[in-house]
Amino acid sequence: MSIFFACLFCSAGFAQSHGLAFSSHEVVPEKRTGLRLTSDAPVCIEQEMDISFDAMFRLGMETYFGYVLGLVTNEGQNIDLVYNQRLFSFNFVIGENFADSFRADNLQFDGPDPFRDIKSFADLFYAPRSRKLPAVRLFNTKDDIRELKAYTLDSPPNPTPAVTVPAQNRFRLDRVLMGLACMLTAGALFYFVWKRWHTLDEAHGPSPAVPPAEDTPEKTSAAIFLFGDFEMTGKEGNDCTRLFTPLLQELFLLLLIYTEKGGKGIAPEKLFELLWGDTSPKDARNNFSMNLVKLKVILEKAGDLHIVKDAGRWKLEVPADVRFDYRDYLGQASTQPSAAALLEITSRGSFLRNMPYEWLDDIKSEISIHATGLMLAAIGKMNLHRETDLVLRLTQAIFQFDPLNEEALVYRCKCLMMAGRHKTAQDAYTKFAKEYRESYGEDFRLSFQDITRDS
């Protein structure tokens, strides 16, 4: 049987005390301390043994808990001596398996307050032949009388008795009859319930026929979002954004935006210049061919998106069933825009707000100015008193494109005042005026009173 020590209680408050203090579960395992009796292997004892030790409590601690002594048999069973602060007792925990669930037999040491009794000690013996654990406890009573108590524990405890199931070799008529009686009873009960429901249906008239619901799976479609952060999901709802490398992402956006923006796609020469302008035309073509193959693999996972060459230009075709916010925005911009539709598109944020490509700057600026104008025009046709909430949401979307838009500030502060949110209106103005001064180096020309005078 192997022997090991863990979490031995000892004291650091006495100059003459000896021992080793251990940390328990409050620290990570690799910083806990263990004590081995030999340098390279545990102590293995085959005959009867006698273990004696003194355990002392470190003074001034709030919690006292841990293993005092642990033993492991050759069969893998653990036998632990544990202190239980809640019960003010030491417990022997004898488990059936060292690393699995276990049943515990507890041994409680009776006696005086264990925090003050520093004269007590315990001896634990193991008899391999009888597979017993004799334990001896010597302590002082309240009257300072020395008492000795002995205990004997089985190892392993509470052996599971063997259960023999007799063979069933003969026909049991009584069980068959009982089963038939249960079936008849259940049938009679079912008939009674059915008859009762049938009677109630006749009394209340026939129920309208309800067509059965068709068990059709929920249909999902691919989606591409360019407003706010770039995001792409496949037709199965899977996230495809993480599949793009930085170069593949820029190549994808170039093909996509130039195809949707003008409908003609992008010329190979312009594409090579933007992505591989510092290489030779031959190397640029090779790099494009190699990355085009990688990009097509991603598009196959996303859905029915295809890259084609039409009239000498590269295009990326997006099917109509794919949700595409940039295409939806262009559709709104070419007709009489709906405020709700604009808000659904622009509430995610400005166009590709975290993309630092130089070729994208003019496109982002053009979309920002145009989207802001569309939303301000929509607000100008609204009744601020009746559509306060929609106006507030639109002004919030405008600030994502143009944080210092003065018209949006005026509309926002007026609507907040109409809604009785005076403090929020004042905070919105203060934040705007601060950012305005930091950007332009001068104070905002309108005061809060000027803005909200007609509210």
Side-chain angles (χ1 to χ4, degrees):
M1 178 166 58
S2 302
I3 304 174
F4 70 94
F5 289 84
C7 297
L8 179 65
F9 292 106
C10 58
S11 173
F14 299 95
Q16 300 300 324
S17 63
H18 299 279
L20 181 63
F22 293 83
S23 297
S24 183
H25 62 283
E26 292 85 359
V27 297
V28 293
E30 59 266 19
K31 293 188 179 180
R32 300 175 188 173
T33 307
L35 176 63
R36 292 186 177 274
L37 300 182
T38 60
S39 59
D40 56 354
V43 175
C44 298
I45 302 175
E46 298 180 356
Q47 304 299 325
E48 296 184 357
M49 64 179 178
D50 181 359
I51 300 177
S52 299
F53 60 89
D54 294 329
M56 303 179 66
F57 292 91
R58 177 178 295 172
L59 302 180
M61 305 294 290
E62 295 183 0
T63 304
Y64 295 87
F65 173 80
Y67 292 88
V68 180
L69 174 67
L71 301 96
V72 182
T73 66
N74 291 334
E75 292 78 13
Q77 181 188 31
N78 61 304
I79 305 168
D80 301 316
L81 178 62
V82 183
Y83 179 72
N84 190 327
Q85 180 178 355
R86 185 176 62 86
L87 300 177
F88 297 102
S89 65
F90 288 92
N91 300 317
F92 276 114
V93 180
I94 306 176
E96 293 182 353
N97 192 290
F98 181 76
D100 204 344
S101 59
F102 60 85
R103 295 194 303 268
D105 287 353
N106 294 335
L107 171 65
Q108 178 170 335
F109 293 127
D110 301 325
D113 184 355
F115 286 103
R116 293 184 171 84
D117 180 15
I118 60 174
K119 299 179 182 180
S120 302
F121 71 90
D123 282 346
L124 175 67
F125 306 91
Y126 177 68
R129 294 181 181 178
S130 61
R131 302 182 66 85
K132 300 288 185 180
L133 289 170
V136 178
R137 168 69 167 156
L138 185 63
F139 60 93
N140 287 7
T141 64
K142 295 181 180 180
D143 300 328
D144 203 24
I145 298 176
R146 200 73 164 166
E147 287 192 5
L148 176 69
K149 286 191 175 183
Y151 308 84
T152 301
L153 301 175
D154 293 333
S155 175
N158 303 328
T160 304
V163 179
T164 303
V165 180
Q168 304 292 333
N169 295 325
R170 58 193 183 89
F171 181 74
R172 297 296 300 271
L173 180 60
D174 55 344
R175 295 187 179 180
V176 174
L177 294 176
M178 183 177 296
L180 290 174
C182 292
M183 293 176 62
L184 291 174
T185 303
L189 180 60
F190 174 78
Y191 175 78
F192 173 78
V193 174
W194 174 83
K195 188 66 176 178
R196 178 64 176 169
W197 283 351
H198 184 67
T199 303
L200 291 176
D201 288 342
E202 291 180 348
H204 291 86
S207 301
V210 179
E214 296 183 0
D215 187 13
T216 57
E218 183 179 355
K219 184 178 180 180
T220 59
S221 60
I224 303 173
F225 298 101
L226 302 188
F227 283 84
D229 295 326
F230 168 62
E231 183 180 341
M232 181 175 176
T233 57
K235 59 183 177 181
E236 302 298 332
N238 51 308
D239 182 16
C240 298
T241 312
R242 57 183 179 84
L243 302 177
F244 290 91
T245 64
L247 179 58
L248 290 178
Q249 180 176 270
E250 187 172 5
L251 174 59
F252 172 77
L253 292 175
L254 273 169
L255 295 172
L256 182 65
I257 293 174
Y258 273 85
T259 301
E260 289 296 329
K261 186 172 183 292
K264 297 181 180 180
I266 183 171
E269 296 77 15
K270 185 174 183 62
L271 186 64
F272 298 160
E273 178 186 356
L274 292 175
L275 295 180
W276 298 285
D278 55 346
T279 63
S280 65
K282 180 180 179 181
D283 291 339
R285 283 193 298 270
N286 292 336
N287 289 332
F288 172 71
S289 300
M290 179 179 61
N291 286 279
L292 189 63
V293 173
K294 297 179 181 179
L295 182 58
K296 287 182 178 180
V297 173
I298 298 177
L299 298 182
E300 288 177 0
K301 297 179 180 180
D304 299 326
L305 282 73
H306 303 286
I307 299 176
V308 297
K309 193 172 185 181
D310 182 18
R313 291 174 172 264
W314 288 102
K315 300 172 65 175
L316 194 147
E317 297 179 344
V318 181
D321 62 340
V322 175
R323 183 182 178 187
F324 186 18
D325 59 354
Y326 181 49
R327 179 172 59 192
D328 296 339
Y329 167 77
L330 293 177
Q332 289 290 326
S334 62
T335 60
Q336 187 70 19
S338 164
L342 282 174
L343 185 60
E344 183 181 2
I345 297 171
T346 59
S347 60
R348 287 176 49 88
S350 59
F351 190 77
L352 292 173
R353 59 187 173 192
N354 293 322
M355 297 299 175
Y357 310 132
E358 292 184 3
W359 60 266
L360 189 59
D361 290 342
D362 291 340
I363 299 175
K364 293 170 66 175
S365 177
E366 178 185 346
I367 294 176
S368 177
I369 295 173
H370 193 250
T372 300
L374 289 176
M375 287 186 281
L376 287 174
I379 294 175
K381 299 177 182 179
M382 295 181 183
N383 187 306
L384 300 185
H385 292 275
R386 292 198 302 264
E387 300 176 279
T388 302
D389 182 66
L390 182 56
V391 172
L392 289 175
R393 293 167 62 193
L394 283 170
T395 56
Q396 184 65 30
I398 291 173
F399 284 140
Q400 296 191 73
F401 291 86
D402 182 9
L404 296 179
N405 189 280
E406 299 179 14
E407 293 183 69
L409 174 68
V410 174
Y411 283 126
R412 186 168 187 81
C413 289
K414 285 185 175 182
C415 286
L416 288 172
M417 293 293 289
M418 293 175 185
R421 299 164 60 183
H422 300 168
K423 179 65 167 57
T424 306
Q426 179 67 59
D427 292 342
Y429 174 84
T430 302
K431 178 183 178 182
F432 182 93
K434 179 181 178 182
E435 294 179 358
Y436 187 93
R437 180 168 184 78
E438 291 175 353
S439 299
Y440 298 112
E442 60 182 22
D443 293 335
F444 183 48
R445 58 185 179 82
L446 297 177
S447 65
F448 180 70
Q449 289 73 20
D450 295 334
I451 292 177
T452 58
R453 181 175 294 114
D454 300 330
S455 301

